[in-house]
Amino acid sequence: MLAMPEIHHIKHLREKKGLSLSEIVRRTGFNWRTVKKYADGDISVRQKIKRKRGMMEEEGYGQIIDDWLEEDAKLPRKQRRTSKKMYEQLKQEHGFKGSYRTVCAYVQKRRHQLKLEKEQRYERLEHPPGEAQVDFGTMSVVTKEGKEEDRSILILSFPYSNAAYAYPLPAENSECFLYGLTQLFRQAGGVPRKLRIDNLAAAVVSIRKGGERQYTEAFERFRLHYRFDVQACNPYSGHEKGNVERKVYYTRQHCFVPAPLIKGDEELAEWLHRKMIEDRARPHYEKGRTIEELWQEEQKELLVLPERDLPIFSFHHANVNKYGEVTVDGEAFVVHGIPVPNRVLVKKEWDRFMVLSQEGEVYLEAPRPYTKKQRELPWKDILAEWAQKPRVVEYSRFRVYLPEAIRKYFMEQPKQTASRIRGVQKLLDRYTVYEIAQWLDKYQRWDLAPHEIGVLMEAKRSEYPAKWEEADTPSVLVDYETDLHVYDQRLCPSREGGSRA
């Protein structure tokens, strides 16, 4: 008589998958009559309480092997323990007195049963632990120069626990997508068993008839290296990955409103990682437990990270025109030391590219020319509102983006705050906020009115340019000053105390 998980598996293959009896016999290895009985017949199973017997069950060794089997299932096959290794480990660490044959028989039986039990258990869950969804979201940040920029934030969410990780990237191409996934897997401490994506151009080449996806070669190589399964959503069906869609919206509202002031992408990545960890302290929206508690459970279901990360890059052919230029990401770069016209290889990583000859010689290496759309903050409009309500300056969301020197200038004399705001607003017709701040930092003239600052800045513009630096003058003559007293003695000896020749 078959166990219930095995009966369930046969019924599932027959009724859900629609397989023939012969195909089920081939897949399961059971007798044809047995398969016929359970696949098409009415099953009346009498409930029996059967006590497990034998040293594996009664002395707890079976539970140890069950734990090992579930643990090894997360590792690559070549890193899993063999039956012989388990037998030796049981003898050395747990004082096992049984035979190697006993261990082999138990492992062979339980490996198949545990797989069926896990499939049966997961079928009852809408979001099994260890499965994730991924998507890009566009967020705004403000740089230290006061420019507003857009960043592509790659978000990896785990619907079971509602935990998520996020990583900022300069673009949404294949190299950035795969590099971002690598960083997110590191942050999560493991690899999800199944990854749900939409039809990202960075991963999907085309959708064939019947819904089958053709993935990019780079994504296929990446998936095989990290050993996860991928499941693509149907076109125009964002609800099929609703958890990450909602997480993108939540991250934008929770972390990027107002836009954070950043010094660089590394600082943004670290700050965003901390924010996502802190967010796990809140309760799950329906399970009555914290996201952190659920995540600690779910993290155990992740696949183990490979020993080495997969290098992320791609090669493309490019032509060098008659001007010695090669086009990369829509921008032309001059390549020196190569005959023109010519044909070269371009190796692209997520942040850099190299121009190579067909033999592998490097002609050029440079950062990738991603175009970051920068927008000036509307300071004239902001200052116009502040001038009407000067006290709002201290509490405005834009205050953190204002250079420290101008903040100090506004607050130096509280009674003149409104007039100074209006004056600086007029100066913006000729200068930028940061030019005004640099002048104040340099000269520390907090007592001047805005129009006086404007006059001095204009006078500074009218000065002669600074002396050019040159390296041709001998060092002994640099800063040398001629002593004219010697000439005076020669020209007028009687007056200058010199002697007549």
Side-chain angles (χ1 to χ4, degrees), residues 170-422:
E172 298 184 10
N173 56 37
S174 179
E175 294 82 19
C176 286
F177 175 58
L178 298 182
Y179 176 79
L181 278 180
T182 302
Q183 301 305 311
L184 294 174
F185 291 166
R186 282 184 182 178
Q187 292 181 6
V191 180
R193 294 177 178 273
K194 183 181 292 185
L195 188 65
R196 183 182 286 268
I197 64 173
D198 59 14
N199 298 288
L200 292 169
V204 179
V205 176
S206 63
I207 303 176
R208 297 174 177 173
K209 190 174 182 179
E212 182 183 357
R213 267 64 171 183
Q214 179 185 358
Y215 297 105
T216 64
E217 182 180 349
F219 183 70
E220 287 284 14
R221 185 169 57 246
F222 183 87
R223 183 174 68 87
L224 291 174
H225 181 77
Y226 288 94
R227 301 178 299 108
F228 62 86
D229 293 328
V230 63
Q231 186 176 12
C233 299
N234 291 313
Y236 311 108
S237 301
H239 62 278
E240 294 182 1
K241 56 179 181 61
N243 185 266
V244 72
E245 294 278 355
R246 182 66 184 174
K247 191 66 69 175
V248 169
Y249 173 80
Y250 176 83
T251 303
R252 182 180 292 112
Q253 297 298 316
H254 182 63
C255 302
F256 291 89
V257 177
L261 183 65
I262 65 164
K263 296 180 181 178
D265 287 341
E266 290 186 5
E267 179 189 81
L268 176 60
E270 294 176 1
W271 172 81
L272 193 54
H273 183 44
R274 291 195 304 270
K275 295 287 285 184
M276 303 306 281
I277 292 177
E278 293 168 1
D279 184 64
R280 297 205 297 260
R282 63 189 175 96
H284 189 277
Y285 57 88
E286 66 178 8
K287 296 184 178 180
R289 299 167 61 191
T290 64
I291 296 175
E292 179 64 30
E293 292 174 344
L294 294 168
W295 171 242
Q296 293 301 323
E297 294 178 3
E298 184 172 18
Q299 196 174 29
K300 299 174 184 177
E301 299 294 331
L302 301 182
L303 300 174
V304 176
L305 284 166
E307 295 179 0
R308 295 177 292 104
D309 287 335
L310 182 69
I312 306 299
F313 61 86
S314 63
F315 282 106
H316 306 271
H317 287 282
N319 294 318
V320 181
N321 62 23
K322 62 182 180 180
Y323 303 107
E325 297 174 338
V326 61
T327 301
V328 179
D329 294 337
E331 186 169 329
F333 292 84
V334 177
V335 182
H336 299 283
I338 183 172
V340 296
N342 210 325
R343 190 165 176 80
V344 294
L345 282 174
V346 178
K347 179 183 178 182
K348 293 182 179 180
E349 299 179 4
W350 76 278
D351 59 341
R352 302 186 66 78
F353 74 93
M354 288 186 290
V355 178
L356 311 169
S357 69
Q358 300 294 336
E359 293 74 29
E361 181 184 356
V362 178
Y363 289 124
L364 174 67
E365 182 175 359
R368 290 188 69 168
Y370 295 117
T371 302
K372 295 178 180 178
K373 296 181 180 179
Q374 295 187 340
R375 301 180 296 273
E376 293 283 354
L377 289 172
W379 284 116
K380 293 193 70 174
D381 296 336
I382 295 169
L383 294 182
E385 294 181 2
W386 286 359
Q388 297 177 5
K389 299 179 179 179
R391 287 181 295 179
V392 81
V393 175
E394 189 175 353
Y395 310 104
S396 172
R397 63 187 293 180
F398 297 102
R399 181 178 181 272
V400 295
Y401 310 140
L402 197 66
E404 182 62 33
I406 296 185
R407 269 189 270 174
K408 182 177 179 181
Y409 179 69
F410 286 164
M411 300 302 176
E412 187 72 15
Q413 298 184 23
K415 293 183 178 179
Q416 299 181 16
T417 297
S419 61
R420 290 190 170 193
I421 291 174
R422 286 191 291 269

